[in-house]
Amino acid sequence: MNRQEEHRTVERVLAPAPRDTEAARRRAAARAERVAAGASELERRLADLLHGGFASSARAGRGPWEETAARMVDAQAPGLAAAVRELGATAGAGGDWAARLLERCALLHTLNQAYLRVDRLPEGLAATVRSRVGITVGAASLVSSSPPVRDRWLVLSQRDGSDGRLITRRIWLHGRETGRTALLLSYGAGGRAPDLSLTVGLELDADLVFHPAARPLRAVLADRRATSAPGAESGAAPPPGGDTAAALRAYGEALRDDPWLESWPVVLREVIPVPDTRLGWQLADARGDSAISVDARCADRRGLWQLAAVSGGGPVTVFGECGHRGFLPLAVWGKELVPLQV
């Protein structure tokens, strides 16, 4: 082999291999078929559940639900698996469990049917349905194929949750110029904390890339240029917000595009936290006679007393998630932006 031939051989070895788009397309099609088979199987199991009655499902315990969830994992539909586990956790839990189980079964049936017809749905709704069943776009592919949104992003909250297997960190951001709200998700397995951590009140000059959806919220941090420390400037300039009626209206409008949405990020302006032994905690409009219930799951957390302490009985601005369970307060503006431990 002469030097010129050797040089060409080295170039072929070092050159990046072209993407096998046809192979990727076949893999995606094969997965779509497996997910469709899983959705069809889940439809049959839901029909059996309704015909057999909820009482027998509650007596059977978690075993059958976990078996069905495992089948959805085998079908490469982790979103359906998570929904099935929610059904198992609902069955027999609480006085109104049957009504809540029926609601969740109806939503899951709607999701199954939507996925089985996903090619006929509008683009945004189709992307939402694929995401709900567990088919998501990888961060690298998303960044390389979608336009970035540059802004000064205010870190509104950071909250961790665990399902026993994964720790999920939810970080909410607000774009100062675009007015958009974004959700960054980060995961930690085996008890390890997620890699991404941002201080509440921080402002980032950064590019975000949003996942496709009917109502895009989830995003990936693509490029981070500069950071300003939290301080009085952030505390003095909360995002635009509204009253409790506006928050409920925003959640309702979001449900129109995504029927499986658990909650929607909102900013409440001039609300007063009110503890009530009969109704539970409320956030009452300072200039009206309306109020919104606080999510009962955080009733015993000290974050509500933090909120009351910052308020001092007066109106405050609060950021949180408004959903069918009520309002989950995540941060409050006092002299600065204060994260709430809920």
Side-chain angles (χ1 to χ4, degrees):
M1 179 184 296
N2 60 35
R3 183 173 294 275
Q4 187 175 9
E5 291 174 335
E6 181 181 357
H7 180 68
R8 284 197 296 267
T9 301
V10 171
E11 281 184 333
R12 285 196 299 271
V13 172
L14 296 180
R19 292 183 179 179
D20 190 346
T21 54
E22 179 59 27
R25 188 196 64 77
R26 288 197 298 268
R27 287 194 298 270
R31 182 183 181 184
E33 290 180 3
R34 284 193 290 271
V35 174
S40 297
E41 178 182 348
L42 186 52
E43 283 291 273
R44 293 191 294 271
R45 298 202 175 200
L46 289 176
D48 291 343
L49 171 65
L50 294 175
H51 291 152
F54 285 171
S56 59
S57 70
R59 289 193 297 269
R62 293 285 187 93
W65 301 107
E66 288 297 330
E67 177 189 350
T68 303
R71 293 283 296 166
M72 296 304 103
V73 172
D74 292 341
Q76 293 187 285
L80 296 182
V84 169
R85 292 192 181 98
E86 283 285 337
L87 295 182
T90 303
D96 62 343
W97 69 268
R100 289 185 288 111
L101 184 60
L102 182 60
E103 290 173 358
R104 289 197 171 275
C105 285
L107 285 172
L108 187 51
H109 165 69
T110 304
L111 181 58
N112 290 332
Q113 291 298 319
Y115 184 76
L116 294 173
R117 296 165 174 79
V118 70
D119 292 338
R120 287 177 264 169
L121 298 178
E123 183 178 349
L125 181 58
T128 296
V129 169
R130 292 189 182 96
S131 174
R132 291 291 179 186
V133 301
I135 300 176
T136 56
V137 181
S141 298
L142 189 68
V143 170
S144 64
S145 62
S146 303
V149 178
R150 183 177 180 180
D151 206 334
R152 293 184 300 116
W153 298 96
L154 170 64
V155 181
L156 294 171
S157 74
Q158 176 173 291
R159 181 169 180 260
D160 290 354
S162 175
D163 62 0
R165 293 176 292 271
L166 278 177
I167 296 175
T168 302
R169 176 165 293 164
R170 296 166 60 87
I171 301 176
W172 285 108
L173 307 176
H174 171 77
R176 290 294 196 184
E177 304 297 331
T178 62
R180 297 187 66 168
T181 304
L183 174 64
L184 304 182
L185 295 180
S186 183
Y187 302 95
R192 296 190 301 273
D195 293 333
L196 183 60
S197 181
L198 297 173
T199 303
V200 172
L202 206 69
E203 280 200 3
L204 313 173
D205 178 3
D207 289 344
L208 298 187
V209 178
F210 285 81
H211 284 260
R215 286 285 186 117
L217 275 181
R218 186 181 173 187
V220 172
L221 185 58
D223 189 13
R224 181 171 164 179
R225 296 177 181 83
T227 301
S228 61
E233 181 181 352
S234 295
D243 59 13
T244 57
L248 292 171
R249 186 165 56 249
Y251 175 54
E253 291 173 353
L255 277 176
R256 181 181 57 199
D257 295 325
D258 183 353
W260 309 278
L261 197 64
E262 291 283 330
S263 60
W264 187 255
V266 296
V267 174
L268 292 177
R269 302 296 295 263
E270 297 193 5
V271 291
I272 302 173
V274 180
D276 189 304
T277 56
R278 185 173 60 90
L279 299 175
W281 282 79
Q282 308 277 314
L283 293 177
D285 290 323
R287 298 186 177 181
D289 56 0
S290 299
I292 190 170
S293 297
V294 172
D295 190 328
R297 292 175 299 174
C298 64
D300 297 328
R301 309 286 180 88
R302 63 178 181 173
L304 293 179
W305 294 108
Q306 282 181 281
L307 176 57
V310 173
S311 164
V316 287
T317 297
V318 183
F319 168 75
E321 300 174 13
C322 181
H324 63 90
R325 294 187 178 95
F327 184 83
L328 180 67
L330 297 173
V332 57
W333 276 264
K335 293 182 179 179
E336 59 184 18
L337 182 55
V338 179
L340 300 174
Q341 300 178 25
V342 294

